[in-house]
Amino acid sequence: MTARIVGMTAADATRCEELETVLFPGDSPWSAEAFRSELTGPHNRYFVARDESDAMLGYAGIALLGRGADAESEVHTIGVDPAHQRRGLGAQLLDALLREADEHGGPVFLEVRTDNEPAIALYRGTGFEIVGTRRNYYQPSGADAYTMRRPAARVEGQLS
């Protein structure tokens, strides 16, 4: 399934909250206010996936931190409506985040539940590797998370 990936607006926050409660019921889902707050951060980039009728099917966000040799990025979230999962929308959203990260420079980090095999496979397929484990990372469930890292992408014109 191909969707339009566009910038998230404050008007999308309510739908994001709805999806969060379905996707992450035992792990403190984000509120609409939390999404609106993230949108105000100048270093954050958030996107939504929309179908042909303009319905929001998923969302994703990343923080672009530091500059120059200290640049790095951190994937905050990726979520896809369960009715539309396994159709490539997560990959499309991740691609949008990684384009932003590659333009910013530096490595990219994220956390993912250790039992979320589909997400782990998606991340590995784009160059992420597990670099650590965070015990009891997700609350209140106490689920563990892997920290994953993708090295800085080589941008054309950069010296190796």
Side-chain angles (χ1 to χ4, degrees):
M1 167 179 231
T2 300
R4 288 181 301 112
I5 307 299
V6 297
M8 182 186 289
T9 68
D12 296 317
T14 300
R15 175 69 173 138
C16 289
E17 178 181 40
E18 291 170 2
L19 289 174
E20 283 274 308
T21 60
V22 171
L23 295 168
F24 310 110
D27 290 321
S28 300
W30 287 16
S31 67
E33 186 52 42
F35 279 98
R36 284 190 283 277
S37 177
E38 288 297 310
L39 288 174
T40 66
H43 57 279
N44 294 336
R45 303 292 181 274
Y46 276 73
F47 299 93
V48 296
R50 296 192 181 286
D51 69 9
E52 61 281 347
S53 68
D54 211 37
M56 195 185 96
L57 308 177
Y59 58 90
I62 192 167
L64 309 173
L65 307 167
R67 299 230 177 261
D70 294 326
E72 65 180 46
S73 299
E74 179 182 331
V75 173
H76 284 173
T77 189
I78 298 177
V80 174
D81 184 324
H84 299 280
Q85 290 178 353
R86 310 283 190 277
R87 297 182 189 176
L89 293 175
Q92 287 178 257
L93 287 161
L94 180 59
D95 285 347
L97 298 182
L98 294 179
R99 280 191 301 275
E100 293 286 327
D102 292 347
E103 187 175 309
H104 181 69
V108 183
F109 295 89
L110 59 80
E111 275 79 32
V112 60
R113 281 179 65 116
T114 57
D115 61 356
N116 190 342
E117 291 299 326
I120 293 166
L122 172 65
Y123 300 142
R124 284 191 174 175
T126 58
F128 282 88
E129 295 180 350
I130 295 170
V131 295
T133 302
R134 293 181 179 229
R135 302 281 177 219
N136 301 309
Y137 181 78
Y138 292 101
Q139 295 298 320
S141 72
D144 295 340
Y146 289 131
T147 297
M148 298 185 79
R149 177 184 185 271
R150 189 192 78 160
R154 188 176 188 289
V155 177
E156 194 169 317
Q158 280 183 341
L159 298 176
S160 329

